[in-house]
Amino acid sequence: MAQISEAIRDGAEGFFRTQYGTISKMALLLALVILSIYLFRNTTPQQESSGLGRATSAYITVAAFLLGALCSGVTGYVGMWVSVRANVRVSSAARRSAREALQIAVRAGGFSALVVVGMAVIGIAILYATFYVWLGVDSPGSMKVTDLPLLLVGYGFGASFVALFAQLGGGIYTKAADVGADLVGKVEQGIPEDDPRNPAVIADLVGDNVGDCAARGADLFESIAAEIISAMILGGTMAQRCKIKDPSGFILFPLVVHSFDLVVSSIGILSIRSTRDSSVKAPIEDPMAILQKGYSVTIVLSVLTFSGSTWWLLYTEQAPSAWLNFALCGLVGIITAYVFVWITKYYTDYKHEPVRTLALSSSTGHGTNIIAGVSLGLESTALPVLVISISIISAFWLGHTSGLVDETGNPTGGLFGTAVATMGMLSTAAYILTMDMFGPIADNAGGIVEMSQQPESVREITDILDAVGNTTKATTKGFAIGSAALASFLLFSAYMDEVASFAHESFKQVDIAIPEVFIGGLLGSMLIFLFSAWACSAVGRTAQEVVKEVRRQFIERPGIMDYKEKPEYGRCVAIVASASLREMIKPGALAIVSPIVVGFLFRVLGHYTGRPLLGAKVVAALLMFATVSGILMALFLNTAGGAWDNAKKFIETGALGGKGSDSHKAAVTGDTVGDPFKDTAGPSLHVLIKMLATITLVMAPVFL
Amino acid sequence: MAQISEAIRDGAEGFFRTQYGTISKMALLLALVILSIYLFRNTTPQQESSGLGRATSAYITVAAFLLGALCSGVTGYVGMWVSVRANVRVSSAARRSAREALQIAVRAGGFSALVVVGMAVIGIAILYATFYVWLGVDSPGSMKVTDLPLLLVGYGFGASFVALFAQLGGGIYTKAADVGADLVGKVEQGIPEDDPRNPAVIADLVGDNVGDCAARGADLFESIAAEIISAMILGGTMAQRCKIKDPSGFILFPLVVHSFDLVVSSIGILSIRSTRDSSVKAPIEDPMAILQKGYSVTIVLSVLTFSGSTWWLLYTEQAPSAWLNFALCGLVGIITAYVFVWITKYYTDYKHEPVRTLALSSSTGHGTNIIAGVSLGLESTALPVLVISISIISAFWLGHTSGLVDETGNPTGGLFGTAVATMGMLSTAAYILTMDMFGPIADNAGGIVEMSQQPESVREITDILDAVGNTTKATTKGFAIGSAALASFLLFSAYMDEVASFAHESFKQVDIAIPEVFIGGLLGSMLIFLFSAWACSAVGRTAQEVVKEVRRQFIERPGIMDYKEKPEYGRCVAIVASASLREMIKPGALAIVSPIVVGFLFRVLGHYTGRPLLGAKVVAALLMFATVSGILMALFLNTAGGAWDNAKKFIETGALGGKGSDSHKAAVTGDTVGDPFKDTAGPSLHVLIKMLATITLVMAPVFL
């Protein structure tokens, strides 16, 4: 056991070092680009009035960017570090009791999750405090506190930049290894998953750690950071517009909400206790029910603390009942999170109709299985979109009618209401992330158990945990995409505010009836399709390299199949690592370069045709359409992938002929297709959506 | 031969009757709905000034709707009528020479194509002339000629309504029969395609006629009708704004362009002549090259007639060089069409890299084949989007700088420039449609040859024609989606004009920064995903019924495999027919009901929150986002499907192990998945995009 775990640890840490080495080089390069852009940008009227020079503004943005990138890297490292150490402990606990194994996995996942949320809160708090003191905010003649959050945008961009490459590289790694191992091992040679004879098995287990743990950590870190910053910007703008005397409550509110998240989620995690009497052979309790119980505890506490925070920070004399409206917005967000989790479960759990129908379609062959899975995925976008629509509108109207009005008496709280709903949605993020991190740890533990040839009963326990992990992983993705959808709407508003402030003129509308703006939208949606294509094909190509290597080893070392020879695990690890690093560059570069190029080209076109804001408008349309298409595409990819995976699992329980039947073979094909969908392209799209929002904010000077 | 052909004819005509029976009942119902809506609508200032009463306006719209529906039905019938008669003639010609078979297939396809384009031109011309005389247009105190085209919108909606259900029903029919026949015949029993022992083979051949011939005819009829009407509306509006003395040139221009299309395409078709010396065993010429030559002839002539028409009709004294700019717009359109055809060929023809890579990925299994195909399809959206973007911008700017200015001196020709480019793109529609119609006729001829067990050499000839037909079918889809993209942008402008005219206030902007409008967009994109899901799953479900029936027949009549018993072809035909009629309702109803419901709900919401145009704005966003997502999704589905089909064909030429190898099996899976993509969901999306544009125009009173 220890030996296997060590091999996994070495592989994961080796890949992490190389991957983050590459990422940090790119980040430094980008930092230089940002620096030079900002040194040549215009200054805003606010900056001029506060005496914030061009150079200061440039250094601030770059410093925030680098800090965001660094923090994101640290969270990724912690996620991986914990996970490669917890896996072996979980597998040895599984020899004693299911409950204990569950508890260890949850605690380990919880630790990483708390670090992720904590880093986001602390990073932003430090930046905020530093700038506050350094720039002498609120003292006469200098910057106003309401303008401060805009300086933090670089942090969000840094976080999303690292998250994008972490998710792409890790996602390609984990799925290429998985698909490659399965194609030769399971399909061609007929050996079980995670069998020690498969030369790619260690690479597969390493993938769980670098792909799922490290990458999802970076993803949610980025979500929370982006959401905190955009909510701070919106809160600041609104407070200024409403002439609220002390706006700091509105600005600091997001930080407080997420600090409470740390507390309530910890309580939720600790509520999952190991009952010592489980050794007396009690029937194995459904781990999903245990996790769900913890979630309920977290949600109840979160509703209480959230309402308390709104009353504490958002109470103003101007609108005495505003805090209540905002508390309701938070409730909308919490309910949305809950409904999203439920919808994802409905479409991906084999207890429900959709996955059963999908499994049934496997009985008529590979082709019908794929058609049914694609249809299921496409169809599953409908309910989440309806839910998101209802929450945006209701949160907006709750905010709008909160009683907060600007100088001219117009209600202004609408957008902030949406922001509060987003915070509500993310107010249980640490617990959700715990459930997610738990999955790959359990998966890994199962792998170690299988590889070290433990008795069947131990494997059974880890199998149950693994199946639960699959469901929680799928639901977390639903949660992540829901919050991305809400957050991007906020970031979009922040972008328009920023453009208006730099362009010295009002920028309130993005009119899609203008041909160029329409084309911006077309390009934005296209970007999503192309990005998904490249992410999927990267997995396909890398998997083919793995397939060739595994086939080669089986041919050259015929003794492997009889356990007489040991496969060369290291070669597969090396091949996957170098291929996934190479393959992550193309889609990543596409995501970063295209909004900048589009914005710049249309800025030039606008310049020659006498329309000064054209570039910014086209980028706004690109951002909006990319967001909408990205949400739908990510929902499609995640759900289809999850459903295929569980349809296969359903058949493996003995339904429709069970393991080895033709239905099972067709279901395995579906699972293989679903792997890059749900673990590479889909999650990368979450990050992409938010990265587009932050990159347009930071790069706005290029378009103007 | 005659017997088989008769069975196909009976099946096709039987389905056509039932299908169009259902469609006409729905059309009558919808006509009643439109009538009652229009009897309660507001009148526009123009109508009031011209004395066009509410009742007259209602009857005009309903009459136009019904005429459009009728003409669309007639074109569908002609397409099917010709095709079920030409197929047997082509198969007997194939016994003599390839060239003769090609010529008959092309002439038959050409006849249908000319009928389609002719019907569109004549239908609109008749309506226009009738209204002109009946309403006493241009006489003092009555309607102005520039307002006339808006009355024709019902015609476009009628055409798209019928086309939607024709495409859905036919598409589900043809692919369910095809997939069902292949899954049991090819995969399970290992008998060749179109083998007479397969009980579903007649249903498959019927499908080619009702799905491909009838449906594509209705699709392009609708494209042309919608494009003519929107160009007439735009031409009228522009002429009025520029105070051009005789605006009829601008209004009638689209009709003239498409009349010339009939002439130039006929010449192109006739240029494909049978050289009688082909009987002296000349090596078979590449039929694709012959078709391409005819296309070149058509294009050259079309450039000439198009430029002539612009000079003749669009010359005004106010802007003496405007006609030249518009001629260049037309050229932009023609080039766009050519480039689109080329891009589609690049991605779907196995002479080029993408399909070869796809075929290679089949060698590592079903899963990698699907992943590679999905990536290919997603990636193939990029180039067409770039081309569309460039053409919209350049046509817009050519129109904008044409010298046409409104009263206040602002250039106004931009949008009309885009309209002219669309006309340019469609100015060779009859020839393109000929190439498309040719495909299913050749396919059918091949089926008849195989079923009547002709010698190998005959089958070889029809196989070559069939392969060419596959490529031309794919390219026509590229063409159809390109023109849909351009046309929908025009229809969108027409919608905004119409809303402005009914709402008695300016409606120039659709601002996606308003939450409700953003949600309209989200819902629009979601509509595309859900529609595609339902279209694909309809095929999957129907195919499963076919699979069960075919399996039953093979089990109950074991003599079928030894040619001792005859399969019951009729039962498969009946099952597919009734299932596809049932399955076409759900996606069709979704497409028609959802824009109306969304518009109405947000109108009510807008009413209570004091924003009068909210419903119209939300629908505008829905329309725009649905158009963008629809274009991308259709490109993805069409290209992926075409590429899978040809990757399979490439392997069947002997590459990568050839027929029967594992690679081939994986490629067949891809082909099966691609079938509903490229022949049901994809083409239905073309129609959906344009139907959304016309339904919003006709139903605008509901949203206001």
Side-chain angles (χ1 to χ4, degrees):
Chain A
M1 267 194 184
Q3 204 185 341
I4 298 160
S5 148
E6 210 164 288
I8 298 173
R9 196 183 304 165
D10 287 349
E13 284 175 353
F15 178 68
F16 193 89
R17 261 196 304 278
T18 343
Q19 186 190 19
Y20 278 76
T22 316
I23 296 177
S24 42
K25 266 178 229 147
M26 291 191 290
L28 284 176
L29 187 72
L30 192 59
L32 281 180
V33 173
I34 298 173
L35 189 68
S36 49
I37 291 172
Y38 271 66
L39 285 177
F40 291 101
R41 85 186 292 184
N42 298 328
T43 45
T44 65
Q46 285 99 319
Q47 284 175 328
E48 277 159 21
S49 72
S50 66
L52 193 66
R54 210 174 270 177
T56 325
S57 148
Y59 294 132
I60 284 178
T61 310
V62 170
F65 171 78
L66 289 175
L67 186 68
L70 181 72
C71 288
S72 175
V74 171
T75 54
Y77 185 74
V78 170
M80 188 218 45
W81 192 90
V82 170
S83 143
V84 293
R85 277 159 183 84
N87 52 12
V88 65
R89 291 188 53 205
V90 173
S91 45
S92 60
R95 289 193 289 194
R96 293 188 294 277
S97 95
R99 184 89 199 206
E100 203 184 327
L102 174 72
Q103 194 198 355
I104 292 177
V106 169
R107 296 257 164 109
F111 178 75
S112 309
L114 292 174
V115 169
V116 166
V117 178
M119 286 290 280
V121 174
I122 293 168
I124 294 175
I126 289 177
L127 266 187
Y128 183 87
T130 312
F131 292 162
Y132 194 92
V133 175
W134 181 37
L135 301 171
V137 169
D138 268 350
S139 57
S142 70
M143 200 172 201
K144 266 182 286 179
V145 68
T146 48
D147 292 328
L148 191 50
L150 214 57
L151 296 178
L152 306 176
V153 164
Y155 187 82
F157 180 44
S160 49
F161 176 81
V162 172
L164 183 71
F165 284 99
Q167 181 67 61
L168 272 172
I172 295 170
Y173 189 113
T174 176
K175 287 304 126 174
D178 191 0
V179 170
D182 283 1
L183 277 177
V184 188
K186 271 205 229 172
V187 180
E188 291 181 9
Q189 303 285 341
I191 55 178
E193 196 160 338
D194 295 334
D195 191 284
R197 287 169 292 177
N198 196 326
V201 66
I202 293 283
D204 185 7
L205 292 173
V206 169
D208 292 340
N209 294 297
V210 298
D212 293 344
C213 280
R216 190 60 35 75
D219 177 2
L220 270 177
F221 171 76
E222 196 263 295
S223 272
I224 295 166
E227 180 258 319
I228 293 181
I229 294 167
S230 55
M232 285 172 102
I233 295 176
L234 286 174
T237 320
M238 193 190 65
Q240 192 178 22
R241 230 181 267 147
C242 300
K243 306 269 172 221
I244 289 169
K245 266 184 219 143
D246 179 17
S248 55
F250 284 84
I251 296 173
L252 295 179
F253 180 65
L255 287 174
V256 173
V257 167
H258 290 288
S259 309
F260 272 122
D261 176 17
L262 295 173
V263 178
V264 298
S265 294
S266 304
I267 299 175
I269 295 163
L270 291 175
S271 77
I272 300 170
R273 246 176 305 160
S274 99
T275 42
R276 276 289 162 200
D277 62 332
S278 66
S279 54
V280 270
K281 275 288 168 215
I284 300 167
E285 222 179 315
D286 179 10
M288 194 67 212
I290 302 176
L291 287 175
Q292 204 76 47
K293 224 182 281 167
Y295 186 38
S296 307
V297 170
T298 313
I299 280 196
V300 170
L301 289 175
S302 155
V303 170
L304 294 177
T305 55
F306 200 94
S307 319
S309 315
T310 51
W311 181 77
W312 173 34
L313 292 167
L314 304 183
Y315 177 81
T316 60
E317 279 169 21
Q318 277 157 298
S321 71
W323 72 271
L324 188 63
N325 279 39
F326 289 125
L328 290 174
C329 289
L331 197 62
V332 166
I334 294 172
I335 294 172
T336 307
Y338 193 82
V339 175
F340 252 77
V341 167
W342 187 85
I343 294 173
T344 324
K345 242 176 67 183
Y346 173 73
Y347 276 108
T348 55
D349 195 329
Y350 62 68
K351 288 196 196 99
H352 303 285
E353 194 56 31
V355 175
R356 299 206 166 209
T357 316
L358 178 59
L360 195 65
S361 71
S362 312
S363 61
T364 37
H366 300 265
T368 43
N369 170 270
I370 300 291
I371 296 175
V374 169
S375 316
L376 183 150
L378 289 172
E379 189 183 309
S380 73
T381 59
L383 282 182
V385 164
L386 291 178
V387 172
I388 279 285
S389 303
I390 294 169
S391 4
I392 289 183
I393 291 188
S394 47
F396 190 88
W397 278 99
L398 280 169
H400 195 74
T401 54
S402 64
L404 286 171
V405 289
D406 66 6
E407 294 159 359
T408 55
N410 288 323
T412 49
L415 218 51
F416 190 69
T418 325
V420 176
T422 317
M423 285 180 248
M425 186 152 186
L426 285 168
S427 68
T428 53
Y431 192 86
I432 297 267
L433 190 54
T434 303
M435 294 210 288
D436 183 72
M437 297 277 201
F438 153 83
I441 294 174
D443 193 357
N444 246 269
I448 293 174
V449 165
E450 177 77 32
M451 281 197 68
S452 56
Q453 290 157 322
Q454 301 288 325
E456 188 64 14
S457 63
V458 180
R459 176 79 213 187
E460 245 166 47
I461 287 176
T462 56
D463 269 356
I464 292 172
L465 292 186
D466 185 20
V468 171
N470 267 320
T471 310
T472 56
K473 261 169 67 184
T475 52
T476 320
K477 280 175 210 146
F479 176 81
I481 194 70
S483 61
L486 281 174
S488 61
F489 189 69
L490 306 183
L491 286 164
F492 182 70
S493 313
Y495 168 73
M496 293 181 77
D497 277 355
E498 156 133 346
V499 169
S501 113
F502 280 109
H504 303 262
E505 60 179 282
S506 161
F507 182 49
K508 290 262 155 241
Q509 292 178 320
V510 179
D511 177 12
I512 37 177
I514 299 169
E516 284 87 356
V517 177
F518 176 71
I519 284 165
L522 202 52
L523 293 172
S525 291
M526 182 267 268
L527 172 63
I528 297 296
F529 278 66
L530 192 57
F531 179 84
S532 312
W534 285 356
C536 287
S537 64
V539 174
R541 267 196 303 273
T542 312
Q544 280 175 3
E545 286 184 41
V546 177
V547 166
K548 276 182 205 144
E549 170 63 21
V550 175
R551 279 186 187 161
R552 188 190 65 79
Q553 292 203 19
F554 275 127
I555 292 167
E556 289 181 7
R557 304 172 171 221
I560 291 180
M561 281 303 281
D562 318 321
Y563 300 96
K564 278 182 200 142
E565 275 182 279
K566 242 189 119 175
E568 260 187 280
Y569 300 124
R571 282 209 51 153
C572 284
V573 172
I575 286 175
V576 183
S578 77
S580 46
L581 284 178
R582 194 179 61 233
E583 296 282 352
M584 78 180 183
I585 303 293
K586 200 166 83 164
L590 173 78
I592 288 170
V593 171
S594 46
I596 302 177
V597 168
V598 168
F600 184 72
L601 282 182
F602 281 94
R603 175 201 177 169
V604 173
L605 184 70
H607 180 75
Y608 283 107
T609 56
R611 288 170 302 168
L613 279 181
L614 189 67
K617 280 180 187 163
V618 171
V619 169
L622 180 141
L623 179 57
M624 274 275 177
F625 277 76
T627 303
V628 168
S629 300
I631 293 168
L632 289 163
M633 186 65 91
L635 282 168
F636 159 60
L637 295 170
N638 290 340
T639 320
W644 269 317
D645 192 349
N646 280 330
K648 184 198 69 176
K649 288 223 157 64
F650 177 60
I651 292 178
E652 285 174 355
T653 63
L656 298 161
K659 268 194 183 181
S661 65
D662 279 345
S663 310
H664 185 239
K665 276 183 196 144
V668 169
T669 297
D671 183 31
T672 313
V673 174
D675 271 344
F677 280 22
K678 72 180 195 319
D679 288 320
T680 312
S684 302
L685 280 174
H686 308 168
V687 187
L688 173 66
I689 292 172
K690 285 164 288 171
M691 203 228 45
L692 282 178
T694 49
I695 198 176
T696 45
L697 268 169
V698 171
M699 292 297 182
V702 178
F703 322 140
L704 290 169
Chain B
M1 267 193 182
Q3 206 185 339
I4 298 161
S5 148
E6 210 163 287
I8 296 174
R9 195 184 305 164
D10 288 349
E13 284 175 352
F15 178 68
F16 193 89
R17 262 197 303 278
T18 344
Q19 186 190 20
Y20 277 77
T22 316
I23 296 176
S24 42
K25 266 177 232 149
M26 289 191 289
L28 284 175
L29 186 73
L30 193 57
L32 282 179
V33 173
I34 299 174
L35 189 68
S36 47
I37 290 172
Y38 271 67
L39 285 177
F40 292 100
R41 83 187 294 185
N42 299 330
T43 46
T44 64
Q46 286 98 321
Q47 283 175 327
E48 277 158 21
S49 72
S50 66
L52 192 66
R54 209 175 273 177
T56 326
S57 148
Y59 294 131
I60 284 178
T61 309
V62 170
F65 171 77
L66 289 175
L67 186 69
L70 181 71
C71 288
S72 174
V74 172
T75 55
Y77 186 73
V78 171
M80 188 220 43
W81 193 90
V82 170
S83 140
V84 293
R85 277 158 185 84
N87 53 11
V88 64
R89 293 187 53 208
V90 173
S91 46
S92 60
R95 288 193 290 193
R96 293 188 295 276
S97 93
R99 183 90 198 205
E100 203 184 326
L102 174 70
Q103 194 199 355
I104 293 177
V106 169
R107 296 256 163 110
F111 179 77
S112 310
L114 292 174
V115 169
V116 167
V117 178
M119 286 289 282
V121 174
I122 293 169
I124 294 175
I126 290 178
L127 266 187
Y128 183 88
T130 313
F131 291 162
Y132 194 94
V133 175
W134 181 37
L135 302 172
V137 169
D138 268 351
S139 57
S142 69
M143 199 173 202
K144 266 181 286 181
V145 68
T146 46
D147 292 328
L148 192 50
L150 213 56
L151 296 178
L152 306 175
V153 164
Y155 188 83
F157 180 43
S160 49
F161 176 80
V162 172
L164 183 70
F165 284 100
Q167 181 67 63
L168 273 173
I172 295 169
Y173 189 112
T174 178
K175 288 304 126 175
D178 192 0
V179 170
D182 282 0
L183 277 178
V184 188
K186 272 204 228 172
V187 180
E188 292 182 8
Q189 303 285 340
I191 56 178
E193 194 159 341
D194 295 335
D195 191 284
R197 287 169 291 178
N198 195 327
V201 67
I202 294 283
D204 185 8
L205 292 172
V206 168
D208 291 341
N209 293 296
V210 299
D212 293 344
C213 280
R216 190 60 35 77
D219 177 2
L220 269 178
F221 171 75
E222 196 264 295
S223 272
I224 295 166
E227 179 259 318
I228 293 181
I229 293 167
S230 55
M232 286 172 101
I233 295 176
L234 286 174
T237 321
M238 193 191 62
Q240 196 179 18
R241 230 180 267 149
C242 301
K243 306 272 172 218
I244 288 170
K245 267 183 216 142
D246 180 16
S248 55
F250 283 85
I251 296 172
L252 294 178
F253 181 66
L255 287 173
V256 173
V257 167
H258 290 288
S259 309
F260 272 122
D261 176 18
L262 295 173
V263 179
V264 298
S265 294
S266 304
I267 299 175
I269 294 162
L270 291 175
S271 76
I272 299 170
R273 246 175 303 160
S274 99
T275 42
R276 277 291 161 198
D277 63 331
S278 65
S279 54
V280 272
K281 277 287 168 219
I284 300 168
E285 222 178 314
D286 179 12
M288 195 65 213
I290 303 176
L291 288 175
Q292 205 75 47
K293 225 183 280 168
Y295 185 40
S296 308
V297 171
T298 314
I299 279 196
V300 169
L301 288 174
S302 156
V303 170
L304 294 177
T305 56
F306 200 95
S307 320
S309 315
T310 50
W311 181 77
W312 174 33
L313 292 167
L314 304 184
Y315 176 83
T316 58
E317 281 170 19
Q318 276 157 296
S321 71
W323 72 270
L324 189 64
N325 279 40
F326 289 125
L328 290 175
C329 289
L331 198 63
V332 166
I334 294 171
I335 294 172
T336 307
Y338 193 83
V339 175
F340 252 77
V341 167
W342 187 86
I343 294 173
T344 323
K345 244 177 64 184
Y346 173 74
Y347 275 108
T348 56
D349 196 329
Y350 61 68
K351 289 195 196 99
H352 304 285
E353 195 56 31
V355 175
R356 298 205 167 209
T357 316
L358 178 59
L360 195 66
S361 71
S362 312
S363 63
T364 34
H366 301 266
T368 43
N369 170 270
I370 301 291
I371 295 175
V374 169
S375 317
L376 184 150
L378 290 172
E379 188 182 312
S380 73
T381 58
L383 281 182
V385 165
L386 291 179
V387 172
I388 280 284
S389 303
I390 294 169
S391 0
I392 290 183
I393 291 188
S394 49
F396 190 88
W397 279 99
L398 280 169
H400 195 74
T401 54
S402 65
L404 286 170
V405 289
D406 66 6
E407 295 159 358
T408 54
N410 288 323
T412 50
L415 219 48
F416 190 68
T418 325
V420 176
T422 317
M423 284 181 249
M425 184 151 188
L426 285 167
S427 68
T428 53
Y431 191 86
I432 297 269
L433 189 54
T434 304
M435 294 210 289
D436 183 71
M437 297 275 199
F438 153 84
I441 295 175
D443 192 357
N444 247 268
I448 294 174
V449 165
E450 177 78 32
M451 281 199 68
S452 57
Q453 289 155 324
Q454 301 288 324
E456 187 65 16
S457 64
V458 181
R459 177 78 214 188
E460 246 166 46
I461 288 176
T462 55
D463 268 356
I464 292 172
L465 293 185
D466 186 19
V468 171
N470 267 320
T471 310
T472 56
K473 262 169 67 184
T475 52
T476 321
K477 280 174 210 146
F479 176 81
I481 195 70
S483 61
L486 280 174
S488 60
F489 189 69
L490 306 182
L491 287 164
F492 182 72
S493 313
Y495 167 75
M496 293 182 79
D497 277 355
E498 157 134 344
V499 169
S501 116
F502 281 108
H504 306 259
E505 60 179 280
S506 161
F507 182 48
K508 292 262 156 242
Q509 291 178 320
V510 180
D511 177 11
I512 37 177
I514 299 170
E516 284 88 354
V517 177
F518 176 72
I519 284 165
L522 201 52
L523 293 172
S525 290
M526 182 267 269
L527 172 63
I528 298 294
F529 278 66
L530 191 56
F531 179 85
S532 311
W534 285 356
C536 286
S537 64
V539 174
R541 268 195 302 273
T542 313
Q544 280 176 2
E545 287 185 41
V546 178
V547 166
K548 277 181 204 141
E549 170 62 21
V550 175
R551 279 186 187 161
R552 188 191 64 79
Q553 292 203 19
F554 274 128
I555 291 166
E556 291 181 7
R557 302 172 172 222
I560 292 179
M561 282 304 281
D562 320 321
Y563 299 96
K564 279 181 197 143
E565 275 182 280
K566 242 189 118 174
E568 260 188 280
Y569 300 125
R571 283 209 50 156
C572 283
V573 172
I575 286 174
V576 182
S578 76
S580 47
L581 284 177
R582 193 180 62 232
E583 296 282 352
M584 77 180 183
I585 304 293
K586 199 167 85 167
L590 172 78
I592 289 169
V593 170
S594 46
I596 302 177
V597 168
V598 168
F600 183 73
L601 281 181
F602 280 95
R603 175 200 175 169
V604 173
L605 184 69
H607 180 77
Y608 283 107
T609 56
R611 288 169 301 167
L613 279 181
L614 188 67
K617 279 180 188 163
V618 171
V619 169
L622 180 141
L623 180 57
M624 274 277 177
F625 277 76
T627 303
V628 168
S629 300
I631 293 168
L632 289 163
M633 185 66 91
L635 282 169
F636 159 60
L637 295 170
N638 290 339
T639 319
W644 270 317
D645 193 349
N646 280 329
K648 183 197 70 176
K649 289 219 156 66
F650 177 60
I651 292 178
E652 285 174 356
T653 63
L656 297 162
K659 269 194 181 180
S661 64
D662 280 344
S663 311
H664 185 239
K665 275 181 198 147
V668 168
T669 297
D671 183 33
T672 314
V673 174
D675 271 343
F677 280 22
K678 75 181 193 316
D679 288 320
T680 313
S684 301
L685 281 174
H686 307 168
V687 187
L688 174 67
I689 292 171
K690 285 164 287 172
M691 203 225 50
L692 282 178
T694 50
I695 198 175
T696 44
L697 268 169
V698 172
M699 292 297 182
V702 179
F703 322 139
L704 291 169

